[in-house]
Amino acid sequence: QVQLVESEGGLVQAGGSLRLSCAASGRTFSSAAMGWFRQAPGKEREFVAAIWWSTGSAYYADSAKGRFTISRDNTKNTVYLQMNSLKPEDTAVYFCAASSFRVPKTTTVVDYWGQGTRVTVSS
């Protein structure tokens, strides 16, 4: 079993920045890739960004491109999501995700989820 523990989210003004982290632990963490999803009230969970552990290749949703950066620290089994130029529409609960074989760009290939952390962007 793999555990994913996210950092606290928070409240930030529009235009501000916030960095989320997700630490993976458990029995031989062997996920191929990790990523972030988010879910706003009344909406489905959606892909934000993902990264391959081995190569660091990153993938982004259109809404995140140019504003968010995903990175990883292999020595700490930790993935980060740096969010800049935040907008009120970025308000959501953000979930860390891990996949054993594929880049987690859809919820169907996610093997493990974090508990979620709330990000609120005020206008």
Side-chain angles (χ1 to χ4, degrees):
Q1 190 72 7
V2 172
Q3 292 83 41
L4 303 177
V5 179
E6 295 133 344
S7 59
E8 293 235 359
L11 172 64
V12 62
Q13 288 188 333
S17 298
L18 192 65
R19 189 177 83 155
L20 304 178
S21 65
C22 174
S25 63
R27 185 179 62 85
T28 311
F29 176 68
S30 60
S31 291
M34 290 183 67
W36 292 91
F37 287 73
R38 67 186 183 186
Q39 188 165 16
K43 295 189 176 181
E44 293 188 351
R45 195 169 297 189
E46 65 176 10
F47 168 72
V48 176
I51 189 166
W52 278 111
W53 275 117
S54 59
T55 64
S57 296
Y59 306 83
Y60 296 95
D62 288 343
S63 59
K65 288 178 182 176
R67 299 189 300 126
F68 295 3
T69 302
I70 189 170
S71 61
R72 91 276 192 232
D73 184 335
N74 293 40
T75 64
K76 298 181 179 179
N77 282 348
T78 299
V79 65
Y80 303 94
L81 184 67
Q82 177 68 44
M83 303 184 290
N84 299 327
S85 302
L86 283 162
K87 305 174 182 179
E89 50 263 45
D90 294 318
T91 295
V93 177
Y94 284 70
F95 295 90
C96 180
S99 173
S100 300
F101 302 105
R102 299 171 66 178
V103 175
K105 297 171 74 173
T106 62
T107 59
T108 55
V109 302
V110 174
D111 296 308
Y112 303 100
W113 291 101
Q115 79 280 5
T117 186
R118 186 173 302 275
V119 173
T120 303
V121 183
S122 63
S123 57

